[in-house]
Amino acid sequence: MTDQHVSDTHFASFDLPDPVRQGLTDAGFTHCTPIQGLALPPALEGKDVAGQAQTGTGKTAAFLITVFTHLLRHPAPEQRRPNQVRALILAPTRELAIQIHKDAMVLGSHTGLTLGLAYGGTDYEKQRKQLSDGVDILIGTPGRIIDYFKQKVFDLRQAQTLVLDEADRMFDLGFIKDVRFLLRRMPPPTERQSMLFSATLSWRVMELAYEHMNNPAKVQTQDEQVTAERVRQAIYYPANDQKIPLLLGLMRKLGPERSMVFVNTKHGAEKVTAWLEGNGIRVALLSGDVPQRKRQSLLAKFEQSEYQVLVATDVAARGLHIPDVSHVFNFDLPQSGEDYVHRIGRTGRAGAEGDAISFACEDFAFHLPEIEEYIGFKIDSEMTDHAILATDLEPPKRRQRKPSSGPPRGRSGGRSGSSSGPGKQPRARQRSDQESTAGSQAAKPQGEPSGEGNGKPPRRRRRRKPRQEGPATPS
């Protein structure tokens, strides 16, 4: 197979500022990828670009090179205030924003341009102070950026460049209104350079491009497939109770050093993680409710091979660039073709080869026709041979719940009357106390109202209505 990841175009053939060339040298980049070779010529001329690019094809370097070059050759106006950013790069997920910032630190290390990073989940005051002090390039997710913008922490009126990365995902995650809000607060399209990259240039993405960009040049590689060309895809048809034995059997047979397993729900991901842990596999779990700091720590340990397997829900399907992921397992088939493409895009990155293995089980097999229609071909099927199924499996260990440190609580969430005694004993004791109090009040003489003298309101008695013997006559 010929190498489709790099082209014959050298970065040296472009007219780039010296600081940008030094950054490329530091990153070890010499040849362009196909999308870089197509996007850079019009972008370096100052034109707007809308590019179709799959994850892992080098689009990040394409727009970073353009942004650095544009800012270096078009100095900021003298009236610019420190908190007015010069470039805005929007990403749909925190992981992607962090990855773009990481790449920008390398490629822009000699430019003297300051970088800001804003994303939700952590470091609120730290990020706020960084932006108020002033940055040249702001990278982040729409929600956190809008939060700071509405507080007037930074200003977009002097923005010279704009980048929308994975624009299709902005629609999927419901961020498109936030994106439009920010674009309307920037200089008009004719007064800035804009770039948009998306896995698919659908009509809704192109509508966004034509509305907020200045006649963008549309670029996409001629031989680009919806899925990565170097990813070998296969599908099995197991029964529901065969999925765990099949997964562990394939892992033992294939022996991947670094792999990812995608599950549709958090509960399912926890179950798969427990089975893998119980059978001697170092595994980490990544789901939507994992705090940001812990998420970054898990990903770092996964990259350093402290974990062999990363079990994840779709929160990890996009924006993660983890090198050397050799296998992706779709334990559950996703509900859409786009999610399938981005899941298997975690392997076969940067020109490497990879394997994507999916399970079409009883619950999710009906998603397969839509996925195959989206990717444009039929996935090769494999037999669920009993010889592959792992048989000597250790069941997952039950996790013991920690005993509650405080007194038991009632159904309403408040503390019960006593701090001792298990179960519903305090509630029962409280009822008996009320009954004894009522009995003592009933034993009082009739001349003494119940409740007086002990701080309690008098007890009201329900009056019975007189029984009417016949129809009432008007008076």
Side-chain angles (χ1 to χ4, degrees), residues 302-317:
F302 183 54
E303 290 186 28
Q304 296 163 8
S305 298
E306 293 187 32
Y307 296 115
Q308 300 168 265
V309 179
L310 181 66
V311 177
T313 55
D314 277 315
V315 69

Side-chain angles (χ1 to χ4, degrees), residues 215-230:
N215 192 23
K218 183 178 177 181
V219 297
Q220 61 186 106
T221 55
Q222 295 296 325
D223 56 348
E224 185 169 6
Q225 298 180 1
V226 176
T227 56
E229 187 176 342
R230 290 176 173 269

Side-chain angles (χ1 to χ4, degrees), residues 338-352:
E338 290 186 17
D339 288 336
Y340 175 82
V341 169
H342 289 285
R343 282 185 182 186
I344 71 172
R346 300 311 103 199
T347 186
R349 300 178 68 85

Side-chain angles (χ1 to χ4, degrees), residues 402-409 415 419:
K402 296 182 180 180
S404 176
S405 58
R409 295 177 180 269
R415 295 187 182 275
S419 61

